[in-house]
Amino acid sequence: MEYQHIRTAAYTADLSRGSFAAPMYTFALPAEWEQPLLELRRAGLTDREAAWRRTVPTQAVNQLMRATAPDIVTVDGAATFGSQSPWLYCEQEYPMSVMNTYIAAWLRNLGKNPDDPAVGARLMDTFRDLGPTLPHWQLGMVDLLEQDLSTGGTALPANHVYRLLPEVMAGRIERQEPYEHNGERLMFRRVAQLPGARGLGSGGAELMSWPPRKIESGKAPSYYSASIRITVRTSPFSSVPRVHLATGIRRFVTGKVWMPYQKGVSVYLLPDTSLVPDGLSSPAFSVATIRWRNGTTDWSQGGVQGMLGYVTALDALPSVDRLVKEADHWIGGRDGLTLAVGHQAAMGAHPVGTGLMPSERRRLTEWAEQALAPELVPVPLLARSRYAGPPKRQLQPLPSVPKEEKKPGDLAVALGKREQRLADNAVKRRVRLSEALDGAALVGLVLYQTDDQRDRVLAAAEAGLGLACHRREVTGEIWQWDTPELSVKLCALPLGDLGAPLGGERVPRRGKEHEQAIDERRRKIAAVLAPGRLPVTGAQVAFVELEGEESFRNAKRRSDPKYAIRLGCAEAGLVTQFLRPLDQDMEPQKAADEAVIRAEAAWADGIRQTGTRFIPQHTLGDELIPSGLNQLAFHLVEQRRDGPTGKPQFTPIAVLIRPGTKCVMGKTADMHEWVPYPELLKSLTGRVRDTDLSSAVQQSAHVAAFVKKTVAGLRSAPTLVFVHAQDVRKRWPWLRNDGLHQDRLGLDGGPVQRIGLYGKQLRIVRVADNGRDETPQWWAEAEELDAKHKGMQRAGFAGGLWVSRVTGDSGRVFYSTAGKASTQTKLTNEDAKLTAHTNASGKNAFRPKANAWNPELLELTVACLQPGDDPEAWAAFVHQQRICDDDYRDVLGLPLVLHLARLADEYALPHDEDDTVDTDAKEEQVAADGRSSVEQLTFDFTLDDSDEE
């Protein structure tokens, strides 16, 4: 028996109760302030620079208040003016003496150079002009459910709802009796938050258990807390917004803080008294940020010369130099301050594992949700779709091998059957690979650092393609196999100094020196791997053994040669797959076992980069899904200027799975024809030639033209377009919840039009994942399968397609889940981290060091269909495209065609290059000395607001 329902941590308003209002003090900027503040911000700028400054930013002062006044709620990252658009909210009136100090610090930092005397003089003039209209707090009732409705029928909560409703609910949770399980109790405190992007509802509220849990690990203890996030979200075509509860783990740094490159690190502050004079003390955590730049670490909010210093908050904080050396010194409280530094994955391993398993997640969520009643009620259980089956398998499943023989010969029979199926499956893989290569032989390079890892890759090749009985030649460098379906040749060469850190013993400086180091290594690799320089010809894929990112953290980041290697290989015509050497820090046998797994995974991923795939074969029939269906995915391949190469990139791509085409295909906007998938990947490592895509408007127009042209080229065949909401909507606004219209498509900012105008056989499905908690966490309730679990709050996993039963929903939104991952063989649903726990067998299930994993809930919005289509059947088709049992061990995070599109990000490596590559070493040096430079794009992409892990 399998689960027929799943429960989500999502809640809607009980509409029978009417409105939901709360008394709040509001703080609005007078309308008369708008023009003077814009002029202050534009002071000292050129006309071109000033033209870009159309709003007055509040991010910096918002961060200042988050660090020093956690009870003040900010609702926008840009200033709004007029009494109808409050900027700040608070449950109690905050002292005006403090507010005036905040405003003064804010205005002082609006100018280009606060220390410039001319800017200072203008600032004093502005203060004088604004004096008669100073803002003040006003008490009133605030509607926490205020909303409009989009023209597509989707709820549009007011901007303040995204921040205030979660904050009110967080306060209720904070005031509840502590969470208790198995005799242990957790108390929660609110954590100050920032607003998210305007209109996207990224803001929310958070709580953190305190004091933290402590476990002994090595020389020093490790600390962690439970976290609860509360967010307001919407669902496409639904007039009822949702509140999501998300639970997890927050880990803290012990000892030295390893600062991630150009990323902020959150510092959680709980002072005994306010950090600013005359401020109000609060039970909530305030949050400051430290950041490493140019070799020094300082407070992000401005340090001694900035805002924290201006409001004298630094007097109560430890020096950053001491903080980064002994982060846990204040975690138990010292000198009137409790302080903890948040751990990030970029800092390296932490003794405490990530995440919660489903039973503990359920217990904590159901405790917290009590505070949401009566205004908010749980969303009804999701029901399993009537189209529940998996796709048809193309490879035969391997039979299990009995541990004990019940009859003589059982083991031999089972092993023989298993070997035969392995051989049959290998033949099918070879046939499919030969088709993708258009009948050519598979030629690969193995660039290794250790003989053992080289041998593991070769063994993975033989096992994956069933080559052991077909070996024809083995020399010191060449391994060759000939089968009736496919010839395979691998050349194994030492990586040598091609894999050495860039810059040798000295890390290259940021900028031209780093670019030159990348360029030199790229050219060297391209020359070494050029045709005629290798013992084999026609190589298509390189397997490269190289240390992982953890070997190039922080100050060593720019010495990582991975990007240069990928660029050089692409220039030589090869796609690239990396694998790490044997882990010397692990127990030897465990390290060897993991190295085998890594080699097998690297081999499989490298082969997939050639474009070969077992496309899931749906089981829905031609009446529901037309035969000959094209699967088309759009994706934005992007690199920030502060990325690994120092070059920005913005390249829309399309990936196509076309029936009858032997290889996955792809194209960019400047390609006139579809090209094989590996050619698409290699093309993304080249320079970006478009110089007119420096603004959001230009990029959106570019995307619209590309989509329109690509879709038009497929009008003659049934086509399903896949788009990933979080990847594409920033440059395709129609994909936002407030932009979607059923069966009507919007492309270039104009009116939405009937989908039939773009093609009578075109359908579109939008996929959204749980990034920024856009889809809720979930679990399956164990009592559904066995009544003996009733009241025990046990939970499990359930893969499948699920249907919403919320009254008034459109019938166009479905949900896709995966089951338990194959890597979680040693974890159980009962494992716990927050409190002691005993499982059903009476064994200790407290396992804080284990990494827990819960599959996310994918939201499938069947946005555009043709007359007579069944939305649920199309959602089932999309769900089945995640189940690639013939290619992957586990269900994919996205449907296959979107998965392939996202993998292209690894090749987003723009660089300056010549139009041709000289393979002769002497000519290469001449070219390097006299090469021309190509101007690159200069735009930067928006930073994520969050510093959290």
Side-chain angles (χ1 to χ4, degrees):
M1 180 179 176
E2 61 181 1
Y3 290 104
Q4 297 302 307
H5 302 87
I6 60 173
R7 165 80 199 278
T8 62
Y11 310 83
T12 60
D14 182 355
L15 299 180
S16 66
R17 297 184 57 85
S19 63
F20 179 22
M24 286 273 181
Y25 284 92
T26 63
F27 191 90
L29 297 172
E32 297 86 349
W33 282 33
E34 183 169 10
Q35 193 57 39
L37 294 194
L38 274 172
E39 292 176 358
L40 180 63
R41 192 190 177 203
R42 294 166 177 169
L45 302 178
T46 65
D47 291 343
R48 182 180 179 184
E49 290 173 330
W52 284 96
R53 273 64 174 181
R54 292 187 287 267
T55 61
V56 181
T58 59
Q59 295 100 321
V61 70
N62 289 346
Q63 291 171 350
L64 175 66
M65 288 185 285
R66 187 190 187 202
T68 58
D71 291 331
I72 296 178
V73 179
T74 60
V75 298
D76 214 333
T80 55
F81 299 89
S83 59
Q84 300 304 311
S85 302
W87 166 34
L88 307 175
Y89 294 78
C90 195
E91 291 187 351
Q92 55 185 324
E93 187 173 6
Y94 218 79
M96 280 307 304
S97 59
V98 181
M99 297 307 302
N100 290 337
T101 303
Y102 287 146
I103 291 174
W106 172 43
L107 299 186
R108 180 179 180 273
N109 279 268
L110 281 182
K112 184 175 182 179
N113 183 2
D115 297 321
D116 186 331
V119 174
R122 176 179 283 273
L123 176 64
M124 295 307 298
D125 292 341
T126 302
F127 279 148
R128 199 162 37 248
D129 295 340
L130 299 179
T133 57
L134 285 176
H136 58 277
W137 291 101
Q138 290 186 324
L139 179 63
M141 298 298 292
V142 178
D143 185 356
L144 298 179
L145 296 177
E146 181 183 344
Q147 70 170 58
D148 288 321
L149 203 64
S150 77
T151 54
T154 301
L156 298 176
N159 203 42
H160 67 266
V161 172
Y162 287 105
R163 288 287 288 118
L164 290 183
L165 181 56
E167 284 289 345
V168 169
M169 293 304 170
R172 287 187 181 181
I173 295 173
E174 184 180 43
R175 293 188 292 271
Q176 279 195 137
E177 287 296 313
Y179 169 80
E180 184 171 356
H181 180 71
N182 212 7
E184 296 185 10
R185 293 157 62 95
L186 297 181
M187 298 181 64
F188 283 80
R189 292 176 180 266
R190 287 174 295 116
V191 178
Q193 297 293 292
L194 288 170
R198 180 193 295 262
L200 292 181
S202 300
E206 184 177 2
L207 300 105
M208 188 166 70
S209 65
W210 202 262
R213 286 214 64 136
K214 179 174 73 172
I215 63 169
E216 299 299 330
S217 55
K219 298 180 181 178
S222 297
Y223 300 91
Y224 66 102
S225 291
S227 68
I228 302 174
R229 297 187 306 278
I230 311 168
T231 50
V232 173
R233 296 292 179 254
T234 61
S235 180
F237 312 132
S238 173
S239 61
V240 183
R242 273 74 162 158
V243 170
H244 294 170
L245 289 184
T247 57
I249 293 292
R250 169 153 291 114
R251 302 173 294 175
F252 303 109
V253 177
T254 299
K256 187 174 182 180
V257 181
W258 294 98
M259 296 295 297
Y261 180 76
Q262 287 197 339
K263 285 190 66 177
V265 174
S266 293
V267 181
Y268 300 90
L269 305 169
L270 197 62
D272 292 349
T273 60
S274 174
L275 293 176
V276 296
D278 300 327
L280 303 179
S281 60
S282 171
F285 277 95
S286 56
V287 184
T289 306
I290 54 177
R291 192 178 298 270
W292 183 86
R293 278 180 179 156
N294 301 322
T296 61
T297 303
D298 204 346
W299 296 102
S300 242
Q301 286 75 15
V304 175
Q305 300 301 320
M307 286 189 173
L308 282 174
Y310 190 87
V311 300
T312 68
L314 286 176
D315 297 343
L317 297 177
S319 71
V320 176
D321 289 341
R322 186 180 179 190
L323 175 61
V324 298
K325 292 178 182 177
E326 42 183 344
D328 56 324
H329 183 71
W330 295 268
I331 205 164
R334 186 183 296 266
D335 303 325
L337 177 67
T338 298
L339 176 154
V341 179
H343 175 83
Q344 296 183 13
M347 298 175 179
H350 193 283
V352 176
T354 58
L356 298 175
M357 291 301 283
S359 291
E360 188 166 48
R361 185 184 302 281
R362 177 184 179 182
R363 288 194 296 271
L364 182 57
T365 302
E366 291 183 347
W367 167 81
E369 73 180 16
Q370 298 174 67
L372 308 187
E375 290 83 5
L376 299 178
V377 296
V379 165
L381 298 178
L382 299 180
R384 187 176 290 277
S385 167
R386 65 184 186 272
Y387 303 118
K392 180 181 178 181
R393 291 201 63 153
Q394 300 166 78
L395 299 181
Q396 300 180 66
L398 299 181
S400 59
V401 177
K403 296 181 180 179
E404 298 180 2
E405 290 190 271
K406 295 182 179 180
K407 297 179 181 179
D410 280 355
L411 180 60
V413 170
L415 289 174
K417 188 175 182 180
R418 184 180 180 88
E419 289 301 316
Q420 184 58 52
R421 289 199 174 180
L422 282 170
D424 292 343
N425 289 343
V427 171
K428 293 178 181 178
R429 287 194 178 96
R430 295 196 298 263
V431 169
R432 193 59 55 89
L433 179 55
S434 178
E435 291 173 347
L437 297 174
D438 200 21
L442 173 66
V443 182
L445 301 181
V446 181
L447 303 177
Y448 65 92
Q449 292 182 320
T450 61
D451 292 348
D452 288 343
Q453 205 67 326
R454 173 202 62 192
D455 294 343
R456 292 186 184 101
V457 173
L458 295 170
E462 285 199 335
L465 294 175
L467 301 175
C469 299
H470 302 278
R471 188 183 300 169
R472 196 188 82 179
E473 176 185 353
V474 175
T475 67
E477 295 178 343
I478 304 296
W479 281 257
Q480 184 165 339
W481 301 265
D482 287 332
T483 75
E485 304 81 21
L486 177 73
S487 292
V488 179
K489 182 179 288 187
L490 294 180
C491 176
L493 300 171
L495 181 63
D497 60 1
L498 295 180
L502 299 181
E505 296 182 357
R506 188 177 67 82
V507 177
R509 289 191 296 270
R510 183 184 180 188
K512 290 186 178 180
E513 187 173 311
H514 183 217
E515 294 175 19
Q516 183 177 0
I518 291 175
D519 189 63
E520 289 174 354
R521 183 66 55 85
R522 170 182 67 86
R523 290 171 174 275
K524 185 174 183 179
I525 291 167
V528 169
L529 303 184
R533 303 290 295 271
L534 293 172
V536 294
T537 58
Q540 303 119 332
V541 57
F543 302 90
V544 184
E545 181 185 2
L546 187 71
E547 287 78 7
E549 292 182 356
E550 62 275 6
S551 299
F552 303 98
R553 286 200 304 266
N554 304 322
K556 296 182 180 180
R557 179 175 181 266
R558 287 188 298 277
S559 66
D560 189 347
K562 179 178 180 180
Y563 313 104
I565 293 173
R566 177 157 273 159
L567 290 168
C569 287
E571 203 159 304
L574 288 85
V575 292
T576 320
Q577 184 62 43
F578 292 90
L579 70 159
R580 298 199 313 271
L582 189 75
D583 193 333
Q584 300 296 331
D585 295 330
M586 294 179 64
E587 183 270 325
Q589 186 56 51
K590 185 177 181 181
D593 293 342
E594 290 210 359
V596 170
I597 294 174
R598 287 203 298 267
E600 292 174 346
W603 172 260
D605 287 341
I607 295 304
R608 293 183 191 116
Q609 289 190 48
T610 66
T612 183
R613 281 295 186 288
F614 283 94
I615 311 301
Q617 303 297 301
H618 74 85
T619 58
L620 299 162
D622 292 347
E623 291 184 0
L624 293 173
I625 307 297
S627 61
L629 179 69
N630 292 319
Q631 297 185 52
L632 174 65
F634 290 103
H635 177 65
L636 303 184
V637 177
E638 298 172 289
Q639 275 285 346
R640 292 173 48 80
R641 178 173 292 281
D642 58 3
T645 64
K647 301 286 184 181
Q649 181 169 359
F650 178 84
T651 309
I653 67 168
V655 173
L656 175 65
I657 296 176
R658 173 184 279 163
T661 301
K662 299 173 182 179
C663 180
V664 175
M665 307 297 282
K667 69 185 303 185
T668 61
D670 58 354
M671 292 179 177
H672 299 294
E673 303 291 340
W674 293 98
V675 299
Y677 183 66
E679 297 304 315
L680 170 69
L681 297 181
K682 289 181 287 187
S683 75
L684 296 174
T685 64
R687 65 188 177 206
V688 181
R689 299 179 185 274
D690 297 303
T691 58
D692 58 348
L693 299 177
S694 59
S695 73
V697 172
Q698 293 166 331
Q699 292 169 15
S700 296
H702 186 63
V703 170
F706 178 51
V707 171
K708 190 178 296 186
K709 180 180 178 181
T710 304
V711 168
L714 298 170
R715 288 180 69 102
S716 61
T719 300
L720 176 61
V721 174
F722 294 71
V723 280
H724 183 231
Q726 285 96 331
D727 282 347
V728 184
R729 68 186 174 201
K730 57 181 172 288
R731 295 298 178 261
W732 190 354
W734 174 77
L735 292 170
R736 291 169 38 153
N737 285 3
D738 58 1
L740 286 172
H741 289 67
Q742 287 188 36
D743 303 330
R744 301 179 73 86
L745 175 61
L747 276 177
D748 51 8
V752 294
Q753 296 177 303
R754 290 183 296 105
I755 188 64
L757 296 177
Y758 294 90
K760 300 297 185 182
Q761 303 185 77
L762 180 66
R763 285 94 172 170
I764 301 177
V765 172
R766 192 199 74 167
V767 180
D769 59 30
N770 69 349
R772 297 199 176 204
D773 300 321
E774 290 197 31
T775 62
Q777 294 177 342
W778 66 276
W779 60 86
E781 298 180 336
E783 52 264 39
E784 180 181 326
L785 298 185
D786 195 331
K788 70 181 182 181
H789 297 308
K790 187 173 179 61
M792 302 175 70
Q793 291 180 293
R794 290 188 174 171
F797 303 110
L801 179 70
W802 309 93
V803 180
S804 170
R805 301 190 300 184
V806 175
T807 302
D809 272 8
S810 64
R812 289 296 189 95
V813 180
F814 303 86
Y815 299 92
S816 171
T817 61
K820 189 175 182 179
S822 62
T823 55
Q824 282 195 304
T825 55
K826 296 182 180 179
L827 284 174
T828 74
N829 298 346
E830 293 298 301
D831 288 337
K833 293 181 179 179
L834 305 181
T835 64
H837 184 69
T838 303
N839 63 24
S841 302
K843 296 181 180 179
N844 177 28
F846 181 64
R847 300 185 61 192
K849 296 183 180 181
N851 283 319
W853 175 85
N854 281 231
E856 63 184 295
L857 191 72
L858 278 194
E859 179 186 81
L860 311 180
T861 300
V862 186
C864 293
L865 292 177
Q866 296 295 331
D869 284 345
D870 181 350
E872 189 172 343
W874 283 95
F877 176 85
V878 174
H879 170 70
Q880 287 192 359
Q881 292 303 307
R882 299 181 64 195
I883 306 173
C884 301
D885 290 336
D886 301 315
D887 241 352
Y888 296 87
R889 289 190 299 175
D890 291 311
V891 174
L892 296 177
L894 293 171
L896 177 61
V897 69
L898 280 176
H899 172 77
L900 298 178
R902 179 179 276 189
L903 288 179
D905 288 342
E906 297 179 3
Y907 283 80
L909 300 168
H911 61 286
D912 294 332
E913 64 174 352
D914 293 328
D915 290 334
T916 59
V917 177
D918 291 309
T919 56
D920 182 86
K922 182 176 181 180
E923 292 184 10
E924 179 193 12
Q925 184 59 50
V926 172
D929 292 340
R931 64 182 179 273
S932 61
S933 62
V934 179
E935 184 179 355
Q936 295 293 308
L937 303 182
T938 57
F939 58 82
D940 287 319
F941 297 98
T942 304
L943 281 169
D944 191 305
D945 292 325
S946 174
D947 295 322
E948 318 302 339
E949 181 182 350

